[in-house]
Amino acid sequence: MTVPVSTTAEVTDLLEAWRGGDRTALDKLLPLVEKELHKIAHRYMNRERPDHTLQTTALVNEAYIRLLDQKQLQWQNRAHFFAIAASIMRRILIDHARKVGYEKRGGGRRKMSLDDVAVISDERAVELVALDEAISSLAQLDERKAQVVEFRYFGGLSVEETAEVLGVSSDTVTREWRRAKAFLHRELQKN
């Protein structure tokens, strides 16, 4: 996600103004972030089968509605905003997977690899829920590692952007990303 510095600063300024109650800031913010929100949603939806019941635009719209409820959040910057957006999109897809597939299949799980979960469809609903549970287990042990997974894997943030959002070094993100993947792999193999 390479964006001109002026746009990055402008987004950060608008986020701060929006948090401060400036309703016009939100109107100015949307055109600046809409394209990137669609890119994030598109990354998620590319992992879906073509006849998936949830469409990219619907995912963006639902995420946008949920983002509107985040105005009390202390936005750090543009990368933080997109990390939160990615997290919200992930939650929407997991809720959808639980509603559509998890119940339908009786909640049973099977062994899989982390790479297998990259294809998220109604058939993969059980795996998506299993991955979510593994990330939740990781968060209980180490919240930051779980955030690294969310920002890198689901949000598509670079190592540098993830480091910026978390306020740590790039080396720390790289190290925690590697350890988090190992943890998730072990968790997913247990089932």
Side-chain angles (χ1 to χ4, degrees):
M1 284 191 255
T2 306
V3 177
V5 176
S6 61
T7 304
T8 300
E10 187 176 3
V11 168
T12 301
D13 291 344
L14 288 170
L15 286 167
E16 289 175 11
W18 173 34
R19 185 183 43 148
D22 182 352
R23 191 75 182 150
T24 62
L26 184 58
D27 296 333
K28 294 174 187 171
L29 179 65
L30 182 58
L32 295 176
V33 299
E34 187 172 22
K35 186 176 181 180
E36 196 63 43
L37 289 175
H38 271 276
K39 283 182 184 178
I40 293 169
H42 190 68
R43 275 194 294 271
Y44 279 115
M45 298 311 292
N46 270 345
R47 298 173 182 157
E48 298 290 340
R49 67 173 205 234
D51 62 340
H52 190 277
T53 57
L54 188 62
Q55 299 298 316
T56 301
T57 301
L59 180 57
V60 170
N61 290 341
E62 181 63 26
Y64 180 69
I65 289 168
R66 293 187 189 186
L67 281 166
L68 290 176
D69 292 336
Q70 302 294 321
K71 58 185 160 200
Q72 297 304 322
L73 192 64
Q74 300 291 322
W75 300 108
Q76 295 173 18
N77 53 34
R78 178 191 166 284
H80 185 233
F81 174 82
F82 287 115
I84 297 298
S87 175
I88 287 171
M89 287 183 197
R90 177 177 157 246
R91 287 265 48 105
I92 292 167
L93 287 172
I94 288 169
D95 291 347
H96 182 76
R98 282 194 169 120
K99 186 173 103 181
V100 172
Y102 190 63
E103 301 264 330
K104 184 165 77 173
R105 289 166 184 77
R109 294 192 228 159
R110 59 181 182 231
K111 284 188 177 188
M112 72 196 126
S113 73
L114 184 57
D115 293 333
D116 290 338
V117 183
V119 180
I120 305 167
S121 65
D122 289 346
E123 286 79 29
R124 295 290 198 176
V126 172
E127 288 87 353
L128 179 59
V129 172
L131 177 59
D132 181 59
E133 290 171 356
I135 292 170
S136 295
S137 294
L138 177 60
Q140 289 176 355
L141 296 172
D142 190 326
E143 179 66 28
R144 190 167 66 198
K145 282 184 181 67
Q147 289 173 321
V148 167
V149 170
E150 193 155 344
F151 298 162
R152 297 274 297 128
Y153 185 75
F154 292 102
L157 270 63
S158 68
V159 169
E160 294 75 20
E161 289 169 324
T162 302
E164 182 182 346
V165 171
L166 296 175
V168 298
S169 72
S170 294
D171 288 343
T172 298
V173 170
T174 300
R175 187 173 44 257
E176 293 197 351
W177 174 235
R178 187 175 49 250
R179 289 177 181 162
K181 287 191 298 184
F183 175 87
L184 293 175
H185 179 73
R186 284 190 306 272
E187 286 296 302
L188 292 172
Q189 292 303 309
K190 286 180 183 178
N191 301 307

